[in-house]
Amino acid sequence: MKNEQLIKVLNDMNGDAMWISNPKNIFYLTDYHSDPHERLFALLIEKDGTRTLFAPQMEVEDIKNSPYEGNILGYLDTEDPYEKFGKTLNHMLVEAEYLTVKREHELKDAFQVAQFSYVDDEVKALRNIKTDDELSKLRRAAEIADKCIEIGKDFLKVGVTEREVVNHIETEVRQYGVSEMSFDTMVLFGDHAASPHGVPGDRQLADDEYVLFDLGVVYQNYCSDITRTIPFGTPSEDAQRIYQIVLEAETEAMKMVKPGVKISDVDRKARGIIEAQGFGEYFPHRLGHGLGIDTHEYPDISNKNDNVFKEGMVFTIEPGIYKPGVAGVRIEDDILVTKDGYESLTRYAK
């Protein structure tokens, strides 16, 4: 179905072929995952439906044993893969956000391309609505992320460092079949969390402060992303007030989610609650982002996006307040748009 839709795009745009070179998009379209490093790895889709996967020769057997169905053009490091293909493709559709200038010149010379057009939006639209199979993987990734928060919380003690908690979480989660985190795990104590993208270090945990966890795991190539800000002891009244404002902002924003609602309105709802309490300047980022094969993918959950929610979309909602010298609080969940509302895939207590 995915490829049929792209062939329709090809014909609608009068293209001769589509060149997909983002490995995540190739996985989405072929169910074959590869990290090619500097080597050429691309999926060529011609307007008659023919698919050719350009890949290093060392991966050919793995591709044959994968779910991918189509031609395989394997090449040695000493070979020119374009020469082995040997076709002229006058009008080529490519991913502007991923294709390098070097690759563009190679394609132009190899296939005598006279015109390039861009299909980033069309591929994003495909990936935007998750299938049942994708949702099952995202649910499991979210369940394991919940478990990571529990592992981290149970390890907290006076004097432990942020880095020690990170290392403990990433070691213990391996028992659940996870070999990769979605991104660098973030554990920040107290006022150190007032940096939205702070880096865990040797800061030691003290009594009566918040601990911010931001983490996710990759499960069968699908990502989760959760943030919890958890009290260790009794944080200051100022810090607790900030927490309650962020919790209200997230809760009220989530309540709005359903098909047909403008994405921008949900961001404005959360932002309005925070601004009304005088903390607007301390909420410096968008409300969230799409989630799937990538931790950050389409759509952008911000007040600049007037598109509407659609059933099957998965994204994060993560308001925050970061006041230097006081506290940094962020609460984040992975949200699925359902037929008449939403489902939170992450469920760790708040």
Side-chain angles (χ1 to χ4, degrees), residues 21 24 35 59 80 111 118 129 166 197 263 266 332 346:
S21 54
K24 299 294 182 69
D35 181 358
E59 296 192 31
D80 183 338
F111 301 132
Y118 305 128
I129 306 301
V166 169
H197 278 175
I263 292 172
V266 175
E332 174 186 21
T346 43

Side-chain angles (χ1 to χ4, degrees), residues 44-61:
L44 183 74
I45 305 171
E46 298 176 69
K47 62 183 176 183
D48 65 359
T50 302
R51 298 198 300 168
T52 303
L53 190 57
F54 289 67
Q57 186 64 40
M58 68 184 76
E59 296 192 31
V60 168
E61 284 305 311

Side-chain angles (χ1 to χ4, degrees), residues 82-101:
Y82 304 112
E83 283 186 4
K84 295 184 73 173
F85 188 71
K87 279 189 181 180
T88 295
L89 300 168
N90 182 263
H91 182 194
M92 183 172 282
L93 313 186
V94 298
E95 304 149 300
E97 294 178 8
Y98 195 83
L99 190 70
T100 65
V101 173

Side-chain angles (χ1 to χ4, degrees), residues 12-24:
D12 289 346
M13 296 178 69
N14 295 314
D16 294 309
M18 186 179 299
W19 181 264
I20 302 295
S21 54
N22 181 335
K24 299 294 182 69

